[in-house]
Amino acid sequence: MNNKPGQNWLLLRGLSRESAHWGNFIGVLKTTFPDANITMLDLPGTGCFYKAVSPATIKAITDKVRGQALAQGYLQQPVTFLAVSLGAMVAWEWMRSYPEDICGASLINTSFADLSPFYHRLRWQSYGKFALLMSKRKGCSREKAILQLISNRRDQDEPISLAWEKIQHERPISLKNSFRQIIAAASYCPGDRKPRQPILLLNSKGDRLVSPNCSEAIQKKWHLELHSHSWGGHDLTLDDPVWVALQLKNWALKE
């Protein structure tokens, strides 16, 4: 059994996002780890499970996703998580609840309710835009507005917003499931028990949705490794996929 991080990746996206939103990053990750297994999982209420009802707690979401992973045979070897935002909360809870499944994790731009105030976990400057986005359910203009909130690159707005519109048309996440995910993320307090697996934190200094202070609070509490991107937005794998893959490679080589 291989317990070294970086050999068996399991990827989790964040709020109202699904596996297809990883986009071109998957190709970069495969190039960086050519011999690794790379699996993307959808959270309940998103992607291939868009018709399901999302639980309203991180613990319940974790149990649902783990059940899917077990049923599909993805946990026969210990996995390394790469998880973003809400997905990273699921990964943290998974490490605490089922430590035998996991040999390491890299968590991007995440936050915990018992470590950071609400106005850092969702930056007050984004409240108006976020509320407006939640009220819109369809259209390329909605996806472009989401992109402009979570990405700091403008050179790929048109093709990505069109691709995201197609995803939402084919596998729409409901307003109900979006709110249930928000409730789960907003209430997640993992407590004081540190996971035993090696953890790499990545954050973005240019994140306009979640303050980079949230990752720093996690780092300080548990003395974890943290690397910060100087200009990237909340969707760091979209803004600078090569940088993310390099951090993962360097971290995996050390463990």
Side-chain angles (χ1 to χ4, degrees):
M1 183 174 291
N2 194 333
N3 290 312
K4 182 176 173 55
Q7 299 302 307
N8 192 23
W9 290 98
L10 203 60
L11 277 57
L12 297 172
R13 290 289 302 192
L15 177 68
S16 298
R17 305 286 90 178
E18 60 148 87
S19 294
H21 287 104
W22 288 107
N24 294 334
F25 175 72
I26 299 303
V28 176
L29 189 62
K30 287 180 178 178
T31 299
T32 307
F33 295 90
D35 298 323
N37 297 315
I38 298 173
T39 302
M40 297 167 283
L41 286 181
D42 288 324
L43 302 180
T46 72
C48 60
F49 305 111
Y50 77 95
K51 293 183 179 180
V53 175
S54 174
T57 67
I58 295 298
K59 181 64 169 69
I61 292 173
T62 301
D63 289 342
K64 282 278 190 181
V65 179
R66 182 175 184 265
Q68 297 159 12
L70 279 170
Q72 295 176 70
Y74 296 145
L75 301 179
Q76 295 178 8
Q77 296 287 332
V79 300
T80 307
F81 277 121
L82 176 61
V84 179
S85 197
L86 182 146
M89 300 176 207
V90 173
W92 188 278
E93 182 62 30
W94 198 328
M95 284 188 286
R96 293 172 69 251
S97 300
Y98 308 101
E100 68 281 0
D101 293 347
I102 304 133
C103 60
S106 179
L107 311 179
I108 302 176
N109 289 328
T110 195
S111 64
F112 300 153
D114 48 355
L115 290 183
S116 298
F118 71 90
Y119 52 85
H120 282 174
R121 303 189 71 213
L122 182 63
R123 303 186 81 162
W124 66 267
Q125 296 94 333
S126 67
Y127 286 178
K129 291 180 180 178
F130 191 77
L132 184 61
L133 289 173
M134 292 302 296
S135 67
K136 294 182 178 180
R137 301 311 305 156
K138 296 180 180 179
C140 186
S141 61
R142 174 184 182 270
E143 298 304 320
K144 184 178 288 188
I146 293 174
L147 184 60
Q148 291 176 350
L149 178 61
I150 65 176
S151 169
N152 289 341
R153 290 180 59 175
R154 300 279 70 86
D155 59 313
Q156 42 190 5
D157 281 3
E158 290 302 322
I160 290 178
S161 56
L162 286 171
W164 287 6
E165 180 189 22
K166 185 173 185 289
I167 293 168
Q168 178 65 11
H169 176 74
E170 293 177 350
R171 298 175 296 277
I173 182 168
S174 68
L175 185 60
K176 175 183 178 181
N177 278 333
S178 292
F179 276 118
R180 290 178 72 84
Q181 286 191 348
I182 290 171
I183 291 168
S187 59
Y188 184 54
C189 298
D192 293 329
R193 182 160 57 90
K194 176 186 176 182
R196 69 190 189 199
Q197 302 87 346
I199 296 170
L200 171 67
L201 299 174
L202 301 177
N203 72 350
S204 307
K205 291 297 187 181
D207 191 339
R208 287 172 288 121
L209 188 66
V210 176
S211 171
N213 292 341
C214 296
S215 292
E216 292 167 10
I218 297 170
Q219 186 274 327
K220 289 176 183 177
K221 182 173 178 64
W222 286 291
H223 307 289
L224 303 175
E225 184 175 354
L226 169 64
H227 296 174
S228 297
H229 192 280
S230 61
W231 56 265
H234 189 66
D235 196 339
L236 186 53
T237 59
L238 174 64
D239 278 0
D240 201 342
V242 174
W243 183 88
V244 173
L246 180 60
Q247 309 313 305
L248 298 176
K249 182 177 181 180
N250 291 339
W251 169 69
L253 287 172
K254 291 187 301 183
E255 298 299 336

